[in-house]
Amino acid sequence: MKVIHLAVAVACAIGLGLAPSGAKAQAGQAPADIATYVVRPGDTLYGLAERYMIRPGDASQVGRLNRIAEPRRLQPGTILRIPARLLRTEPVVARLAAFRGDVTIIAPAGPLAPVIGLVVPEGSRLTTAAGAFLTLEMPDGSRITLPSQSRVVLDRARRVLLTGDIQRRLTLEAGRSSSVVTPAPTPGSSFIIQTPLTVSAVRGTEFRVGHDAEANHSTLEVVEGSVGAQASYEPGEILVPQAFGRRADATSASAPQALLPGPKLRNPGRPQDEPELSFSLVPVDGAQSYRGQLATDAGFVDILAENQSDGTILTFASAPNAIYFLRLTALDADGLEGLPEVYAIERRLNAIGLEPPAGLEGVDRSFLFRWSDSGDGVASFRFQLAANPEMDGPIIDEPGLAERQISVAELPDGVYFWRVLVTRFEDGRTFEKWSPVQRFQLGG
């Protein structure tokens, strides 16, 4: 089983202004503080300093640290320990892979207009407004996605020239984040997401970090891999395995607890043909609410919409005809978001609405039935009128109608039921849908 180490440090003295970096130190020094390098044939300490260190004169400091007597004669295979702060780095390109809605990017030099492929420099603050989403992607495929009403700062995105270590650090100031991290190419590489309460350092896993600024608590949920977590007041590291999560506030952190399973979708093969997309979920024991995300791709890089409900019905606004992906999760009483369940959804608008029957002016006991529809392609209609709600043995059954109305003459008094079938031809396929049965009464 793959084990990923995560240092989670919770500030005990928030009122005293304990910074996340201080919390990290409480949990143990990061391995990236000291870089290691295996000497190759032809290497000299002065040559390494000239090519890879910020100041060539730092060669003497590295020599003292490693007790090197002959800096011009290094033994191949020797492992050098070098303080990371002495090493030169170069920026790692972070790009805006996808976004929707009102997204704000404030770089150190000023605001940037969000466009796909935009290079996001270090120090940039990225914010999503209500109903907005963005995904930031690194060259190795690692990415972080921000849903609605979230804010993150890209503190660091660097490559160490000497070792090839990739260092990425982000601060989640508010809201939620979902990260998929490609396994690191070198032991000293890091991917860190910190909140005002926690520091999460991972290598090669899928996880979520959230921070509720108003309630002052942070959450961690491990979807793939395993994570070692340690609060500043805990004596040692606690293993948070795959499918488990943890919540931390200013004074305490919960034990790892199992995440709720992903909700199942009722009628998953049914096309979404109404103007509003609506999904019915099978209840999950222990769930307090449910969350759904709709995306254009299976990896949920390009998220289209998100919604949350205390009940088992999730709805989304109308969307163009296409194949979408729906990710469902259940949230427990501690606010931990459970494991995802993903479905491919066909969106094919084919809606029909009925109007109340209207008497035809000047025509005795004749009535006009009208309906409206929405959707793409060519539509035809079938009208049925019956004396029972089961529509058995219809009095009138008229298929192949092109117009959205039909008149019926000489209806005697009584109770009637009617409905309309819309048949839509699109992209070489046929889609059919009955309207709900409507009831009306003539006479007493």
Side-chain angles (χ1 to χ4, degrees):
M1 179 181 65
K2 177 173 61 178
V3 178
I4 310 299
H5 292 283
L6 168 67
V8 178
V10 180
C12 297
I14 297 298
L16 299 179
L18 184 60
S21 59
K24 181 178 177 182
Q26 293 278 349
Q29 294 299 316
D33 288 349
I34 294 292
T36 59
Y37 175 75
V38 179
V39 174
R40 300 174 182 176
D43 281 341
T44 68
L45 190 54
Y46 296 129
L48 293 175
E50 184 70 30
R51 294 193 302 273
Y52 300 116
M53 296 183 197
I54 298 174
R55 294 175 298 273
D58 288 333
S60 58
Q61 183 176 343
V62 176
R64 290 193 299 272
L65 177 64
N66 292 272
R67 299 181 180 180
I68 296 174
E70 296 288 342
R72 298 184 185 278
R73 295 181 181 179
L74 299 180
Q75 181 66 35
T78 300
I79 297 178
L80 293 180
R81 300 173 65 247
I82 306 173
R85 58 183 172 80
L86 304 182
L87 294 173
R88 291 169 54 194
T89 61
E90 62 182 5
V92 170
V93 175
R95 297 184 184 274
L96 189 63
F99 76 96
R100 299 265 179 175
D102 185 5
V103 168
T104 302
I105 303 175
I106 306 297
L112 299 175
V115 293
I116 301 300
L118 173 72
V119 174
V120 180
E122 287 180 327
S124 296
R125 176 175 278 102
L126 301 92
T127 305
T128 56
F133 309 87
L134 70 83
T135 295
L136 195 64
E137 190 168 54
M138 307 293 180
D140 67 348
S142 297
R143 62 181 186 266
I144 177 172
T145 298
L146 293 188
S148 175
Q149 296 179 309
S150 299
R151 186 172 67 252
V152 72
V153 177
L154 178 61
D155 297 311
R156 186 172 179 83
R158 292 266 156 181
R159 175 180 176 272
V160 180
L161 297 183
L162 175 66
T163 61
D165 294 342
I166 307 297
Q167 301 172 348
R168 293 148 301 183
R169 187 178 70 247
L170 303 99
T171 297
L172 180 67
E173 296 180 334
R176 297 180 288 117
S177 70
S178 177
S179 301
V180 177
V181 183
T182 301
T186 61
S189 294
S190 61
F191 190 103
I192 297 171
I193 296 182
Q194 60 186 24
T195 76
L197 296 177
T198 62
V199 177
S200 305
V202 302
R203 292 177 59 229
T205 189
E206 182 176 350
F207 69 106
R208 298 185 296 253
V209 173
H211 180 69
D212 187 327
E214 183 176 347
N216 197 28
H217 69 252
S218 296
T219 54
L220 162 69
E221 298 127 7
V222 182
V223 177
E224 181 181 334
S226 297
V227 172
Q230 182 179 0
S232 60
Y233 38 76
E234 293 175 317
E237 186 178 79
I238 295 175
L239 182 67
V240 182
Q242 179 172 311
F244 278 71
R246 204 174 192 222
R247 171 173 165 153
D249 59 26
T251 58
S252 64
S254 70
Q257 56 194 71
L259 300 178
L260 294 177
K264 301 296 183 182
L265 182 63
R266 299 186 192 273
N267 301 319
R270 179 179 67 85
Q272 288 289 320
D273 51 19
E274 289 294 321
E276 182 181 67
L277 281 68
S278 180
F279 302 95
S280 177
L281 315 183
V282 178
V284 174
D285 289 341
Q288 300 296 305
S289 61
Y290 299 89
R291 181 175 291 151
Q293 289 183 330
L294 203 63
T296 61
D297 63 292
F300 286 79
V301 174
D302 184 18
I303 297 176
L304 181 68
E306 178 182 274
N307 202 2
Q308 188 168 326
S309 172
D310 293 338
T312 56
I313 301 296
L314 281 170
T315 59
F316 297 88
S318 184
N321 288 352
I323 299 298
Y324 296 101
F325 293 88
L326 175 69
R327 180 163 59 192
L328 301 172
T329 53
L331 285 77
D332 65 17
D334 287 330
L336 291 176
E337 185 175 358
L339 298 175
E341 191 75 36
V342 177
Y343 292 89
I345 300 298
E346 182 176 16
R347 165 58 166 170
R348 192 67 58 176
L349 180 61
N350 189 24
I352 185 166
L354 307 183
E355 300 178 8
L360 290 173
E361 185 176 352
V363 181
D364 187 34
R365 307 195 69 78
S366 293
F367 290 85
L368 182 65
F369 295 83
R370 291 176 174 171
W371 55 90
S372 60
D373 68 297
S374 54
D376 297 331
V378 179
S380 65
F381 307 95
R382 177 182 178 183
F383 173 84
Q384 284 187 340
L385 181 72
N388 58 80
E390 293 77 21
M391 304 301 294
D392 294 333
I395 301 169
I396 299 175
D397 190 350
E398 191 71 25
L401 300 174
E403 295 187 5
R404 291 161 176 81
Q405 64 181 38
I406 188 173
S407 61
V408 178
E410 302 300 330
L411 278 178
D413 289 348
V415 176
Y416 296 94
F417 301 86
W418 67 291
R419 65 180 180 176
V420 175
L421 173 72
V422 57
T423 301
R424 198 172 300 279
F425 303 93
E426 183 183 0
D427 299 331
R429 300 170 62 191
T430 300
F431 304 91
E432 293 187 335
K433 182 178 183 180
W434 282 105
S435 71
V437 175
Q438 298 291 315
R439 177 187 184 276
F440 73 100
Q441 182 172 338
L442 288 179

